Amino acid sequence: MDAKQGSTAGATLGEALRKNKKPVDWRFPDESGLSERTLDCRQLAVKEVLRWKGADELIPVFLTPFDSTGYGLLLRRSEPRLQRGWGLETCHPESPEEMEGLLRSVFDREGYALLFYKAFDMPFSAYYGIHDVIHWSLVTDFDETHITLLDSAGAPSYFDGMTGRIPSGLFFEAWTDRQPVTSGAAFVTGAAPPFERNWEDEFAGIVRQSVTNMGTDERLEQFIREFETAPLGDLTAHLDQLEFDLHYYRRLRELWLLAALRGAVPARYLKPAWVEELTYVCRCWSLVLGVLMKWKRQPDRDYREKVLAYLRQTLDNETSFFEALAEMAGEEE
């Protein structure tokens, strides 16, 4: 992977983005096929930084092992880590004053800053008062009065498309006593020369870890049981959160499928069996989410049985997919 300093494309990432004829829109696939369908907010922000630095072959950077966590009606996966020698340096300031100084320091040195925070508390976020999650934005400009963010989950009153110019006072006033433990600023680490580890070896390790983590998807089985037995009122009251969580959960499946279709998987591991099963998995998750979205529009209806039918089919297909991965991993040993 080639990487060069971002300064060759502009003194700051914001200046480089303004020179682009086509504005960034994470809703739609970029030249690598990456979008909100395959990457989460942190990965999308990092993607822009890596492109600015001149990195190519971005799909392998974000391809991580499968796992499954959560409890009750919460189905999650671990936060993804960057691959291919890239990483993140994060800092957690303890006060608004420290945060302002840190943000200024990172932006002045790097030409951008990655910002993470509890979106539930931030009035400029579309998740304000709705989703209690740690959200990531990309700081593209920072002056005496405003912070300019690139983010697809910004509140319309502060954002024009994906760009939001947030008054500094508003931002730092929202930095409540809940923010310091979970929030802060970050920047990407890793640069030329290219990462020395062979991609075949790295991908083989990702496959083995996935098989170990997902030998039997007990968490998904538990989730389905909880969904089946939960009071209907609990389900309808949490449709927003269910859609949010399941969309996050399925993203890695979509990313793996994209990697297979774009040739980002090493050729010796591109086996038709697991690619076919993964295709079915992605289709099933799309059906699950489609019904949940319909249910949100018609909360007085009962779509539980239809969702359950798709979830059970999804579990069957996921089981077949991980069995195919395990078979491939065994053949390679």
Side-chain angles (χ1 to χ4, degrees), residues 14-298:
E15 291 172 358
L17 289 175
R18 285 192 292 273
K19 293 178 181 178
N20 291 342
K21 295 181 180 179
K22 185 178 179 181
V24 174
D25 192 336
W26 293 336
R27 295 173 300 173
F28 304 106
D30 65 6
E31 54 264 49
S32 298
L34 298 168
S35 68
E36 287 180 335
R37 188 178 183 90
T38 52
L39 301 182
D40 66 19
C41 53
R42 172 170 48 179
Q43 294 169 319
L44 288 164
V46 169
K47 173 178 76 75
E48 298 304 324
V49 174
L50 293 182
R51 285 208 183 283
W52 180 54
K53 286 178 172 287
D56 56 12
E57 299 179 13
L58 292 184
I59 293 176
V61 174
F62 302 110
L63 209 61
T64 56
F66 292 98
D67 68 358
S68 189
T69 63
Y71 57 89
L73 286 172
L74 185 67
L75 184 65
R76 292 278 178 88
R77 58 184 175 87
S78 299
E79 292 185 352
R81 305 178 70 175
L82 301 179
Q83 310 289 346
R84 309 302 295 143
W86 297 99
L88 287 177
E89 183 76 25
T90 60
C91 301
H92 300 261
E94 296 183 357
S95 69
E97 292 76 21
E98 279 191 32
M99 182 62 211
E100 186 170 6
L102 171 63
L103 199 56
R104 170 59 66 189
S105 174
V106 172
F107 186 84
D108 288 348
R109 185 182 68 247
E110 303 291 333
Y112 69 92
L114 298 167
L115 189 65
F116 57 101
Y117 49 87
K118 273 188 172 289
F120 189 89
D121 301 328
M122 295 300 188
F124 56 82
S125 173
Y127 300 152
Y128 179 55
I130 301 174
H131 295 299
D132 194 5
V133 295
I134 306 303
H135 185 67
W136 290 67
S137 300
L138 177 61
V139 179
T140 58
D141 282 295
F142 184 23
D143 58 31
E144 298 301 320
T145 60
H146 289 80
I147 301 171
T148 303
L149 302 180
L150 192 67
D151 192 342
S152 61
S157 53
Y158 293 97
F159 277 74
D160 180 12
M162 281 191 44
T163 301
R165 186 166 157 78
I166 314 302
S168 301
L170 173 73
F171 176 81
F172 293 113
E173 286 170 10
W175 204 266
T176 67
D177 57 1
R178 295 213 313 150
Q179 290 292 333
V181 175
T182 54
S183 309
F187 58 92
V188 176
T189 61
F195 188 50
E196 294 181 356
R197 187 175 179 185
N198 182 278
W199 174 228
E200 279 197 5
D201 294 339
E202 190 173 1
F203 184 77
I206 292 171
V207 170
R208 289 193 297 269
Q209 189 62 56
S210 296
V211 171
T212 299
N213 293 344
M214 305 291 288
T216 57
D217 197 349
E218 296 178 356
R219 177 78 276 275
L220 181 54
E221 291 178 0
Q222 292 170 2
F223 174 83
I224 293 172
R225 288 196 295 269
E226 292 284 346
F227 194 94
E228 183 176 18
T229 58
L232 185 61
D234 287 355
L235 293 180
T236 55
H238 293 88
L239 289 174
D240 267 327
Q241 192 65 48
L242 282 168
E243 182 195 0
F244 184 90
D245 290 341
L246 294 185
H247 179 48
Y248 187 90
Y249 189 79
R250 69 117 177 220
R251 274 194 180 105
L252 186 57
R253 280 104 178 124
E254 294 285 351
L255 180 60
W256 272 65
L257 183 58
L258 176 68
L261 298 177
R262 289 293 185 107
V265 172
R268 65 182 291 184
Y269 293 104
L270 196 59
K271 306 290 187 180
W274 71 258
V275 176
E276 181 178 5
E277 294 296 344
L278 181 57
T279 301
Y280 297 145
V281 166
C282 291
R283 288 176 183 171
C284 277
W285 278 118
S286 292
L287 291 170
V288 170
L289 286 162
V291 177
L292 284 176
M293 292 170 66
K294 186 176 182 179
W295 199 354
K296 281 174 54 180
R297 296 191 299 269
Q298 301 174 328

